[in-house]
Amino acid sequence: MAGEVGQMMSALRVSGPAAGLVGEAVVPGDKSISHRAVILGALAEGATAVSGFLNAEDCVNTAYAVEQMGVAIEGLGQANVLIQGVGLQGLEPPRGTLELGNSGTGMRLLMGVLAGQDFAATLTGDESLRRRPMDRIAEPLGQMSIQVEGHGPRCTPPVTVLGGVPKPITYHTPMASAQVKSAVLLAGLYAAGRTTVIEPAQSRDHTERMLAAFGAQVDIEGLAVSVQGQPDLQGREVVVPGDFSAAAFLLVAGLLVPDSEVTVRGVLLNPTRTALLEILQRMGADVQVTNERLITGEPIGDITVRSSDLVATEVGGEEIPRMLDEVPILALAATQADGRTVIRDARELRVKESDRLATTAEVLSAFGATVRQQPDGLVIEGPTALYGATIDSHHDHRIAMMAAVAGTIARGCTEIHGAQCIATSFPEFVSTLGDLGVDIRGQR
Ligand code: S3P
């Protein structure tokens, strides 16, 4: 696996508190867009050239899975990846089980694609992924007449998608989930007619943007997204912007460490992803966005933060799906904000790579913060001094990276065990934080 974290270490050691973090950084390509580029590139006619592809375990596992179904991909491990599309009907039955590692996105999106094949395929993953519910995909695929077999009432992996010809449906998702929306839309590519997904709140919209860019007919009306089945998808160039969810760790570090000024360049600014910026700004954060532009239909820009005194806030409702993966790092910011921060409507966090409400509360409490779990959120009292701690990542990259940023502001030494999971989304995390001035290193 490319990247320092996967190669070398299982534990991370951070010495804090850091003096001012000063400098510029870039972050790896967006994880959500990289998954979709591989999948749509595989299903298109002709070649798709992807630059800025996230060469981290999650997206590489998705690439390996489509390779196992007969798609040639050149350049994995490099920034430019070339996918030789086989067309909607061109996938071949895989010889073995498809191994998606830690990636819920890879598994759920591929389940949608497999719904339309004339073969059955089985998908599995690591310890964390094998605990995650796939009933949220099996249910709409069942309505499309496609059978999925998994374990227990929540249909946990390994899962087998039996394949067939999906019926076009209109599906109301019970939760705002881009993975569920995308799986149904991808299955809908194989249906004769129009498939519609209606969400309770807007989730990230990369699938619909990219489907349209590849030539599918996509219609959006409020929270309803429809795709016309059996399109001719055409391979194209995809430029993947920097991942906002990776940048979030550097931005919060820059806000919390005194005397800091950090700029992250070329970051995705899609509004379905950036609620954290709005929330930090209302907490009093000094955040500036410059050099805004569009690449391959997605807004990007440079984000600069300067150390700021934060005040507590309340977060919930439609903001949550637009900052889903940033809740752990927001919770850390809240430990340094004046007052009580309340995060609600975030029950979905309980079924991520770990139960992120529980693991965020556990990790921040270990640093000395005052954090209470609610069934659907967190209550955080601030500001509190943090002290170096020994932490377990719970196989969750975002928990490990949040703990590293907490270690950056904490007094004393922090050790994070199981930190190799950072390689699923941000393989250069340690050197990027180190270059900004953090005393951080990997240990075997
Ligand atoms: C993702 C969607 C989100 C997010 C995940 C990536 C995607 O999950 O947490 O990291 O790329 O579609 P849900 O769609 O399950 O909410």
Side-chain angles (χ1 to χ4, degrees), residues 138-224:
E139 160 64 26
L141 293 188
Q143 290 186 24
M144 297 175 98
S145 299
I146 302 301
Q147 221 181 313
V148 176
E149 292 168 357
H151 288 257
R154 303 233 56 191
C155 192
T156 50
V159 285
T160 300
V161 181
L162 295 182
V165 182
K167 269 194 351 213
I169 57 167
T170 293
Y171 186 64
H172 289 260
T173 60
M175 72 293 280
S177 162
Q179 295 177 358
V180 175
K181 172 175 63 180
S182 302
V184 176
L185 294 175
L186 289 167
L189 292 177
Y190 291 89
R194 194 172 141 101
T195 294
T196 301
V197 181
I198 304 171
E199 299 195 275
Q202 169 85 66
S203 67
R204 64 192 66 191
D205 63 358
H206 309 300
T207 298
E208 39 277 46
R209 283 181 191 243
M210 204 182 286
L211 275 171
F214 275 74
Q217 194 193 317
V218 175
D219 297 301
I220 298 172
E221 274 182 54
L223 294 172

Side-chain angles (χ1 to χ4, degrees), residues 66-401:
V66 302
E67 278 183 333
Q68 264 183 272
M69 292 188 279
V71 178
I73 302 183
E74 290 162 38
L76 278 180
Q78 294 156 32
N80 296 328
V81 169
L82 189 70
I83 303 149
Q84 299 294 349
V86 293
L88 265 186
Q89 306 299 338
L91 294 181
E92 294 165 7
R95 254 181 246 129
T97 299
L98 301 172
E99 173 58 69
L100 278 308
N102 194 245
S103 178
T105 307
M107 180 168 289
R108 293 184 175 132
L109 269 53
L110 285 174
M111 287 174 74
V113 171
L114 288 167
Q117 308 306 316
D118 57 6
F119 53 81
T122 300
L123 308 95
T124 192
D126 69 6
E127 201 183 313
S128 152
L129 187 54
R130 287 200 308 275
R131 282 198 296 265
R132 296 179 67 186
M134 297 300 144
D135 54 339
R136 56 182 58 199
I137 309 294
E139 160 64 26
L141 293 188
Q143 290 186 24
M144 297 175 98
S145 299
I146 302 301
Q147 221 181 313
V148 176
E149 292 168 357
H151 288 257
R154 303 233 56 191
C155 192
T156 50
V159 285
T160 300
V161 181
L162 295 182
V165 182
K167 269 194 351 213
I169 57 167
T170 293
Y171 186 64
H172 289 260
T173 60
M175 72 293 280
S177 162
Q179 295 177 358
V180 175
K181 172 175 63 180
S182 302
V184 176
L185 294 175
L186 289 167
L189 292 177
Y190 291 89
R194 194 172 141 101
T195 294
T196 301
V197 181
I198 304 171
E199 299 195 275
Q202 169 85 66
S203 67
R204 64 192 66 191
D205 63 358
H206 309 300
T207 298
E208 39 277 46
R209 283 181 191 243
M210 204 182 286
L211 275 171
F214 275 74
Q217 194 193 317
V218 175
D219 297 301
I220 298 172
E221 274 182 54
L223 294 172
V225 186
S226 305
V227 69
Q228 192 64 36
Q230 302 174 356
D232 287 324
L233 300 178
Q234 291 301 324
R236 54 163 296 147
E237 197 182 327
V238 178
V239 181
V240 183
D243 195 326
F244 180 82
S245 299
F249 297 99
L250 310 179
L251 298 174
V252 170
L255 288 171
L256 299 186
V257 175
D259 304 317
S260 298
E261 177 169 334
V262 173
T263 298
V264 190
R265 298 216 179 272
V267 184
L268 176 73
L269 291 173
N270 179 318
T272 64
R273 295 285 296 280
T274 53
L276 177 74
L277 285 188
E278 297 153 31
I279 295 163
L280 290 171
Q281 276 167 330
R282 79 172 178 253
M283 293 172 83
D286 182 347
V287 178
Q288 271 183 336
V289 175
T290 52
N291 202 10
E292 283 183 73
R293 55 209 189 271
L294 270 185
I295 56 169
T296 333
E298 293 276 6
I300 72 162
D302 303 338
I303 309 173
T304 299
V305 293
R306 292 181 194 84
S307 325
S308 304
D309 291 329
L310 301 180
V311 290
T313 191
E314 302 213 348
V315 181
E318 62 79 38
E319 268 179 343
I320 297 291
R322 298 194 298 115
M323 58 149 314
L324 205 57
D325 294 337
E326 288 70 69
V327 169
I329 195 68
L330 173 67
L332 170 63
T335 69
Q336 302 309 299
D338 192 12
R340 171 178 294 176
T341 292
V342 182
I343 301 173
R344 302 193 175 84
D345 306 319
R347 203 180 290 269
E348 271 294 294
L349 264 78
R350 295 210 180 270
V351 290
K352 293 294 174 190
E353 286 84 330
S354 68
D355 173 345
R356 282 190 182 150
L357 297 180
T359 50
T360 299
E362 176 193 306
V363 165
L364 290 175
S365 302
F367 280 101
T370 308
V371 182
R372 241 178 324 120
Q373 273 190 75
Q374 307 284 69
D376 70 340
L378 295 168
V379 178
I380 303 136
E381 312 284 346
T384 43
L386 302 186
Y387 297 94
T390 299
I391 297 298
D392 184 89
S393 74
H394 296 277
H395 305 284
D396 188 333
H397 54 135
R398 302 211 193 275
I399 295 298
M401 290 188 276

